[in-house]
Structures are given as C-alpha cells and as structure tokens.
Amino acid sequence: QVQLVESGGGLVQAGGSLRLSCAASGSISGINVMGWYRQAPGKQRELVAYITSGGSTNYLDSVKVRFTISRDNAKNTMYLQMNSLKPEDTAVYYCTIRRLGNDYWGQGTQVTVSS
C-alpha cells in the first residue's frame, strides 16, 4: 500500500522551467528505484529518468543536461527539475516507484510547453 501524490505540472512557454514533485506515503520502506515516465498525445509511454536508492541516475537521451532527477529520502519525495523546455516535452508525466519488487504509479500531471 503506497500512495503517490504529484504536483508541479502546468503550462509553460518554450525555454521555461518546471519542477515536478512526487511525495510517497504509506508502506514506503524498502523503496529501491524512483522514476518518471511521460506519454505525449498519440505516442507510446517512455521512461524519462530514474534514480536508485544509491543515488545513481539515468536519463532519456533527449532530456539529458536539461532535466535533473533527485530524491529526498528524509521527505520521501522525488523531483524532476525540467529546464529549457521544448514543445516536444509536452506530455502527461507519471511518477513511479519500485518497492520490494512491486511498481506503484502516481495519477499523472499534465505538462504543456507552448511555442
């Protein structure tokens, strides 16, 4: 039983920034990996970035340098800092965690980047 609450999505102009947050509550001990997915209109869902309990990170090639994933273990919160946003970043963003071999998902938050 894990609950994920996302915030930070919205409408932003190209070149702007957004910071997404994902707070976990419930049975949150033993979380191994936290990550972000996104799904753009008419496209398949793709993994954007993830961070392990040891602090290792990986990014989708198209968001490297521009995006930064981080986690605050004391607050049980994960962040995705998105800079230099482009219209092609427009998508619904979902946070996800892996705990004890099981995956949990947030409700998704809309990010829209205008030209």
Side-chain angles (χ1 to χ4, degrees):
Q1 296 181 331
V2 176
Q3 297 81 46
L4 302 177
V5 179
E6 296 176 311
S7 61
L11 175 65
V12 66
Q13 189 175 357
S17 299
L18 287 173
R19 189 190 192 193
L20 305 183
S21 299
C22 178
S25 62
S27 301
I28 56 177
S29 63
I31 294 176
N32 183 248
V33 181
M34 304 183 74
W36 292 92
Y37 283 81
R38 70 183 182 187
Q39 187 165 24
K43 297 183 178 180
Q44 297 186 26
R45 185 183 64 180
E46 62 183 353
L47 178 64
V48 178
Y50 70 82
I51 183 169
T52 69
S53 59
S56 298
T57 59
N58 273 288
Y59 298 89
L60 184 68
D61 285 344
S62 61
V63 308
K64 288 180 178 177
V65 179
R66 299 188 298 117
F67 289 12
T68 302
I69 189 171
S70 62
R71 63 188 293 179
D72 186 335
N73 290 333
K75 297 181 179 179
N76 298 310
T77 301
M78 174 180 60
Y79 306 95
L80 185 67
Q81 180 67 47
M82 305 185 295
N83 299 324
S84 302
L85 283 163
K86 304 175 180 179
E88 48 263 47
D89 295 318
T90 295
V92 177
Y93 285 71
Y94 301 89
C95 71
T96 184
I97 67 170
R98 176 160 291 176
R99 176 184 180 273
L100 303 179
N102 297 311
D103 294 337
Y104 301 86
W105 296 85
Q107 78 285 356
T109 184
Q110 177 69 49
V111 172
T112 302
V113 184
S114 62
S115 300

